[in-house]
Amino acid sequence: MAVTRTLSIIKPDATNRNLTGKINAKFEEAGLRIVAQKRIRLTKEQAGKFYEVHKERPFYDELTTFMSSAPVVVQVLEGENAVAENRRVMGATNPADADPGTIRKEFALSMGENSVHGSDSDENAAIEIAFFFADTEIVG
Ligand code: CMP
């Protein structure tokens, strides 16, 4: 299987509760390497641009308000089949449906405040990584 990359975001509900280290441990225990990482505070406009694909959804305003409410940690994860592996480690979007041991099962508060974001395809991973990182900031 190929070594690939995915974009991860540790969301405000998790940074507020000081969970960055515990979430990073889940990634590293699963064999995903954190090859870039920075803590930033998104503006509502940046959050809106990042989640533009959801613009017509009823939760768009709630989502972008939440994502700009406190710091986030944006990361590039690298590993075998990184997109799918990260999604497995994160668990289902709704924590009520997430498998035991996953990040969302252990830490997420609700469907909206679900602690982490991960890219859903290799194509979107490339777009989302470029949204936050220059190539020179990613050190594998
Ligand atoms: P994420 O993986 O970041 O991608 C889009 C986000 O929208 C998703 O995680 C959830 O946090 C959020 N989301 C999806 N569905 C709902 C919903 N029904 N209500 C509120 N937020 C939602």
Side-chain angles (χ1 to χ4, degrees), residues 48-105:
K49 199 163 172 227
F50 181 79
Y51 280 116
E52 200 149 29
V53 65
H54 296 305
K55 205 176 176 105
E56 304 307 324
R57 308 284 280 275
F59 56 81
Y60 180 71
D61 187 62
E62 181 189 327
L63 174 62
T64 55
T65 297
F66 166 61
M67 290 299 289
S68 56
S69 67
V72 297
V73 177
V74 293
Q75 321 174 286
V76 181
L77 306 181
E78 184 180 87
E80 300 224 335
N81 209 6
V83 168
E85 185 57 12
N86 182 38
R87 293 177 76 77
R88 189 187 67 72
V89 173
M90 288 194 300
T93 305
N94 186 343
D97 301 329
D99 287 335
T102 61
I103 291 168
R104 284 167 170 162
K105 186 66 174 186

